[in-house]
Every structure is written in structure tokens, then in C-alpha cells.
Amino acid sequence: KKELEMAEMAQTPAAFVNFCFVRAVPLALILDILLIGVLTTQTLDAIPFALAAVLGVPVFFFIAFEYFLLQPRVIIKRRARKIDQELVFAGRHLLISLRSGVMLFDAMLGITRDYGEVSKEFNKIVEKVTLGVPMAIAMHDVAEHSPSSYYRRVILQMANSLVSGSDVADSLESVLDQVSQEQIIQLKAYGQKLNPLVMFYMIFGVIMPSLGVAFLIILLSFVGTGLSAYGVGIMIAIFGLVTITQFLFLSVVENSRPSFDL
């Protein structure tokens, strides 16, 4: 339930599980039909063929069902990255407004636009306060269901200052400095991580495929087969492996990159 709320998916847990079940059943049947089509081209005995065809449905169903269940977590991670990307800038906007003498509610109202997912989170607080919920309680409720740990830290720090009667601007400035320093550290760590990634990319994505293809062509010429059907098949397999390797390296680099810019 909490994951659905953090992902902003307007479904009950039971409805979401039922939705995943409905999507997984036809996908499992389609994959099993494809498996049967592949197996019919192979010379298999009747018993292994029947076992593979029958067991394919529950196996594919389990994989598809688990895949669809991960959808809220994927959305949560995506929202967290978007919130972290704009949090410091929105926080500094809020801090400037507070330092200028603007009331906290009006300062939050001023950043309910132009900051993407952060604006949506602050707009939730504004809506709750407008409906009569006390400011501190509204901030706690929204922070509890926020996918970003940085955002939770900022909001909870402000809420605690509001309850204790201390200066909200000072607390906000302090926590923003901490978040900024942590984000800078993550950016530096990402830069250091790129060096070995680039080295492995050059070795496994450029050098080894190039040398491997060259040696393969030379070897086939010595054997006397040349680029026959067998050699072309090997080339296609190498090309597919290189493509997968390139995609994996690019995915690792993209996923490990921090979502924020300072």
C-alpha cells in the first residue's frame, strides 16, 4: 500500500495485484506458445517436449507476475531521481523567500510550480493545510510517503523546527547545505567510477571485438573456408554479443549517474 502511494498509483493493493495477475496470464500463454514453436523445430522426445510445454506456463507466469509487481518500485525510483534533481534549487528558493520575511505557507505556495516533482510534493502540503490540517502534521504526512530520502530529511527538519519554535530558515539552510555536500560527494564518486568503467568498455567493447574479428578472419582464411555460411554465423553471433555488451555498459553508466546537477 505504501509503495502504491509513493508511486502515486490510485489503486488499492488488491486491485493492483489483480491487475498484475490479469496481465501476466496472457503474457505467460504467449511466451509458452513461442516456446512450443521453438521446440517443434528441435528433435525432442515426447516426454521432454510435453514437460517443457506444460511447465512453461507456470514458470512464465511467475516471471511475468513478479515483473509487473515491480512497476511501483520502478516509478518510485524514477520519482525520487526527479525530486532529487530539483530539491536543492527549490529549497534555496524557499530559503530566500523565508529570509525575505514571507510566511512559510506563502513561501511553499510560491514553489508549487516550475520545479517538477518537487513542486508536486510541496503542493500536497499546501492542499492539506488549505483543508485545515496543521502545517507540521501535513509536512510529516507528505514526507512519510515521499520517495526521496533527501526530501524527507528537508521536510522533517522544517517540521521539527516549526514544532519546537526555532527558526525554520536556519534549519532549512543547514539541511540544504548537508544535502548539497552529499550530492557533491556522489558526483565526485561517479566521476571516479567512470575511469574503470571506461577502461573495461574499451577492452570488452572495442579492443577485444576488433582483434577477435580480425583474428577470426585470418584463421578462417588459413583453414580455407573463408567467410562461408559457418563464418557468417559466427560473425553475426559476435555482432550480437558486442551489441549486448555495448548496451550493458551504457546502461550501467546511465543508471549509476546521479540525477542532480549542482
Side-chain angles (χ1 to χ4, degrees):
K1 180 180 179 180
K2 187 174 182 179
E3 289 182 355
L4 292 174
E5 292 176 353
M6 294 173 66
E8 294 186 336
M9 300 177 66
Q11 290 177 294
T12 62
F16 176 72
V17 171
N18 181 66
F19 178 68
C20 294
F21 182 88
V22 172
R23 296 175 65 185
V25 169
L27 181 59
L29 293 175
I30 292 173
L31 292 176
D32 190 60
I33 292 172
L34 294 176
L35 177 63
I36 294 174
V38 173
L39 293 178
T40 52
T41 61
Q42 307 296 323
T43 57
L44 295 178
D45 295 334
I47 295 178
F49 179 83
L51 287 176
V54 172
L55 295 178
V57 174
V59 171
F60 288 136
F61 171 79
F62 176 78
I63 296 174
F65 186 69
E66 290 294 326
Y67 172 77
F68 290 130
L69 282 179
L70 292 176
Q71 183 181 1
R73 298 183 183 180
V74 175
I75 297 175
I76 288 171
K77 186 176 181 180
R78 188 185 306 126
R79 290 194 64 234
R81 290 173 65 90
K82 291 181 179 179
I83 292 173
D84 294 342
Q85 187 175 5
E86 298 287 348
L87 178 60
V88 175
F89 303 106
R92 288 171 179 167
H93 184 164
L94 182 63
L95 178 61
I96 292 174
S97 299
L98 293 176
R99 294 294 190 195
S100 302
V102 179
M103 299 295 293
L104 179 58
F105 177 81
D106 295 332
M108 287 188 177
L109 188 61
I111 57 175
T112 54
R113 57 185 181 276
D114 301 330
Y115 292 103
E117 291 292 331
V118 180
S119 295
K120 292 182 180 179
E121 295 296 307
F122 278 104
N123 188 57
K124 293 177 183 177
I125 300 177
V126 171
E127 289 179 350
K128 287 180 177 292
V129 174
T130 304
L131 294 175
V133 179
M135 176 69 75
I137 297 178
M139 296 170 73
H140 274 280
D141 291 342
V142 174
E144 182 181 357
H145 298 94
S146 176
S148 172
S149 60
Y150 288 139
Y151 180 82
R152 285 197 297 270
R153 189 192 307 178
V154 171
I155 295 301
L156 291 178
Q157 184 74 17
M158 294 172 59
N160 293 335
S161 299
L162 193 64
V163 172
S164 62
S166 59
D167 191 353
V168 177
D170 291 339
S171 300
L172 177 60
E173 184 176 11
S174 176
V175 71
L176 285 178
D177 290 339
Q178 294 177 6
V179 171
S180 299
Q181 291 299 321
E182 292 181 12
Q183 291 182 349
I184 290 173
I185 292 173
Q186 290 187 27
L187 287 173
K188 291 181 179 179
Y190 171 72
Q192 295 175 355
K193 188 188 299 183
L194 282 181
N195 294 328
L197 284 177
V198 170
M199 182 184 67
F200 282 111
Y201 174 76
M202 291 295 295
I203 293 175
F204 295 103
V206 179
I207 298 175
M208 288 185 63
S210 302
L211 294 178
V213 171
F215 281 122
L216 179 62
I217 293 175
I218 295 173
L219 180 62
L220 291 177
S221 64
F222 277 119
V223 173
T225 58
L227 286 179
S228 60
Y230 178 74
V232 172
I234 295 178
M235 290 293 183
I236 294 175
I238 293 176
F239 176 76
L241 182 61
V242 171
T243 302
I244 295 174
T245 304
Q246 299 268 355
F247 176 77
L248 289 177
F249 272 111
L250 292 176
S251 299
V252 170
V253 172
E254 180 64 24
N255 291 330
S256 60
R257 181 185 182 278
S259 59
F260 38 78
D261 299 313
L262 298 178

